[in-house]
Amino acid sequence: MTGENTGATGGNAGDNAGDNAGAGVTRVVVVDDQTVVREGLVLLLELLPGLEVAGSAADGEQALELVARVAPDVVLMDLRMPRMDGVEATAKMRELHPDVQVVVLTTYADDESIFAALRAGARGYLTKDAGADEIARAVEAVRGGHAQLDPAVQRRLVEAVAAGEPRRTRDTGLPDGLTRREAEVLTLIARGRSNGEIARDLFISEATVKTHINNLFAKAGLRDRAQAVTYAFRNGLVADDD
């Protein structure tokens, strides 16, 4: 798919954005420099209920132009691309279009790639052997404000953080002014609990859970649950063997 075709696809999708938003459709942009992969993802996503492909791009620069034009909900982002790679594109996209969420979909699952993508603001990270259901779940999760990591990626993330020297908050007090309850919520996030599960574990409402999450994210300077997992391990809120 050429850049010219990308623009045409994006323009047509943008014309129908209002109708699709009303129907609850999640609009997705696909970014990958390999034509076969990019077009294959477009065909796959078009078969999934509740998703619509708003356009596709072959590199980060095209992606930024396309997102500005069609305002998708989620971008599926490759990492290694010419002109502008996925990490740089993600960082600029999150700065310019904070309502657009990014799911990295890449061949690479090394620590450097994972941390770079998450620091740039990606809320999801999948490898290209992910199935259609996994991609659909990740898209819907990040649109709903949640993080979604491939299980193998999450293990690498936890192992990399746990291999460091976490600060044990039971000796020094809770970091960044967190309350005891906020620390409990953060610990459960790091253990993979959903908001509903946290509410049941702590015998509080989901609304209260969301309030605690908003407060602790603001205090600790966190953007999403993936960053929260890293923060919890670094600060000793979760034991290495949890």
Side-chain angles (χ1 to χ4, degrees):
M1 185 176 293
T2 65
E4 182 178 352
N5 290 337
T6 297
T9 301
N12 292 337
D15 294 340
N16 298 324
D19 295 339
N20 293 330
V25 172
T26 298
R27 303 177 67 248
V28 182
V29 159
V30 176
V31 186
D32 198 296
D33 64 320
Q34 297 183 36
T35 303
V36 172
V37 174
R38 187 172 66 250
E39 293 182 349
L41 284 171
V42 168
L43 291 173
L44 173 66
L45 293 172
E46 287 177 342
L47 295 174
L48 298 176
L51 301 183
E52 177 193 290
V53 178
S56 64
D59 58 51
E61 288 187 6
Q62 283 188 11
L64 287 171
E65 294 170 0
L66 182 60
V67 166
R69 194 161 65 247
V70 305
D73 300 300
V74 178
V75 174
L76 281 180
M77 181 77 74
D78 188 22
L79 287 185
R80 310 289 171 87
M81 297 181 292
R83 294 208 300 170
M84 182 186 295
D85 66 23
V87 171
E88 183 180 355
T90 296
K92 290 185 176 181
M93 200 171 292
R94 295 293 295 146
E95 178 182 357
L96 297 172
H97 310 284
D99 292 335
V100 178
Q101 306 302 334
V102 176
V103 174
V104 168
L105 185 62
T106 181
T107 305
Y108 305 95
D110 58 283
D111 294 348
E112 181 179 353
S113 297
I114 294 167
F115 279 105
L118 295 179
R119 281 195 298 267
R123 298 184 74 105
Y125 198 112
L126 299 175
T127 56
K128 285 182 178 177
D129 58 358
D133 290 345
E134 292 175 90
I135 295 173
R137 282 196 300 271
V139 168
E140 291 306 318
V142 300
R143 189 187 183 191
H146 305 293
Q148 184 77 22
L149 303 179
D150 180 281
V153 168
Q154 184 161 343
R155 283 195 300 273
R156 291 185 70 89
L157 176 63
V158 171
E159 288 167 359
V161 174
E165 295 284 335
R167 299 193 305 271
R168 293 296 175 180
T169 57
R170 54 177 164 269
D171 298 328
T172 60
L174 295 173
D176 297 314
L178 296 184
T179 66
R180 181 182 60 82
R181 181 62 90 184
E182 289 164 357
E184 290 174 340
V185 170
L186 180 56
T187 298
L188 292 172
I189 289 174
R191 290 173 178 163
R193 303 287 201 279
S194 67
N195 286 1
E197 289 170 334
I198 293 171
R200 289 192 294 274
D201 287 349
L202 299 180
F203 301 99
I204 56 180
S205 69
E206 284 195 51
T208 300
V209 171
K210 290 178 182 178
T211 297
H212 287 314
I213 291 174
N214 289 337
N215 290 341
L216 72 89
F217 274 30
K219 290 178 180 179
L222 304 172
R223 284 194 301 262
D224 53 48
R225 293 172 100 96
Q227 287 191 346
V229 173
T230 302
Y231 179 88
F233 274 89
R234 281 180 177 165
N235 287 280
L237 293 169
V238 183
D240 294 350
D241 57 355
D242 276 4

